[in-house]
Amino acid sequence: MSERKDGAPPLSEPALEVGEIVKSYGSLAVLSGVSLAVGAAEAVGIVGPNGAGKTTLLDVLTGTVPPDAGYVRLLGWDATRLSPPLRARMGLGRTFQVPRPLAGLTVFENALVGARRAARLRGQAAYHAAYDALVTTDMVRLANAQATSLRLLDRKRLELARALAARPKVLLLDEIASGLSDPETDQLVETIRRVNQAGTAIIWVEHVIRVLSAVATRLVCLADGRVIADGPPAQVLASDAVKSAYLGGSVL
């Protein structure tokens, strides 16, 4: 906890924090000094043009890609050099743009894998976590269905349920609404809003700004591997730097 000079209650540690993250591939600088802090139960949207470094940032946060410089702190602990499984056990979850349900397993069994592998839960604790995740994502009705038989929206829901079964404190979403129709997207957004309102911090990369703005109270815009705007959605979208990064076109 940090002291407040104004006499207000102390501030809690950010749920997730990165400082001066640098990542290059040869001569190509993908991330150049990115710093970001996300509070407990905060919902933050990450936006930016193609090639801005958004997915690479998520990869650095989860530990699948090591940074060349900088640090990652998860729930107050230095996680910079920790493996993805260790970060998952500490409370970091992630979904991917293309769902990959485990073939040969039911919906419930897929969620159970999330509870057992990511959170290392066992016995009834794992079963309860998997069931709770299916309730949250409205997938109980399909618990016994083969995961590979699902339509796209339900595959996205299962991807989310598998991450939630590990009971993350921080959840990273990588274009989870991609490929969905507007009505389907609205259903998924409502689920993600409930997850956030229940206390899970959300960091969400998405190209459709209206989707992010339905949940996120803050947007961070990346361009050329740098943070060029950070603040309330309306403020960020009105930024000249953000408009310029999108080649002068609308970012909506």
Side-chain angles (χ1 to χ4, degrees), residues 170-243:
V170 181
L171 181 61
L172 311 179
L173 305 176
D174 190 0
E175 297 191 42
I176 193 171
S178 175
L180 298 178
S181 67
D182 285 349
E184 290 173 333
T185 297
D186 291 342
Q187 293 178 53
L188 191 63
V189 162
E190 184 54 39
T191 299
I192 294 169
R193 183 185 288 115
R194 289 199 306 270
V195 170
N196 178 238
Q197 290 173 343
T200 302
I202 302 286
I203 302 175
W204 188 355
V205 169
E206 195 69 58
H207 280 293
V208 183
I209 305 297
R210 74 162 188 88
V211 173
L212 287 180
S213 298
V215 177
T217 56
R218 177 178 155 213
L219 292 183
V220 175
C221 184
L222 295 181
D224 297 324
R226 300 179 184 276
V227 175
I228 62 169
D230 183 346
Q235 175 184 311
V236 168
L237 297 178
S239 163
D240 289 339
V242 172
K243 292 177 182 178

Side-chain angles (χ1 to χ4, degrees), residues 39-119:
E42 188 177 12
V44 177
I46 308 292
V47 298
N50 290 334
K54 302 183 296 296
T55 295
T56 300
L57 176 60
L58 294 191
D59 290 340
V60 169
L61 295 178
T62 55
T64 56
V65 169
D68 299 327
Y71 66 86
V72 178
R73 292 182 65 83
L74 177 59
L75 303 174
W77 296 89
D78 185 359
T80 310
R81 300 301 169 190
L82 295 183
S83 67
L86 281 176
R87 296 186 200 201
R89 271 175 257 165
M90 289 174 66
L92 183 65
R94 180 181 180 174
T95 68
F96 293 87
Q97 180 179 352
V98 179
R100 296 184 180 89
L102 300 173
L105 299 182
T106 66
V107 165
F108 179 78
E109 289 167 340
N110 267 259
L112 191 60
V113 167
R116 287 176 170 170
R117 285 190 181 174

Side-chain angles (χ1 to χ4, degrees), residues 151-158 180 184-185 187-188:
R151 59 178 178 147
L152 181 58
L153 174 58
D154 289 330
R155 285 188 180 218
K156 300 273 189 177
R157 285 172 165 155
L158 178 56
L180 298 178
E184 290 173 333
T185 297
Q187 293 178 53
L188 191 63

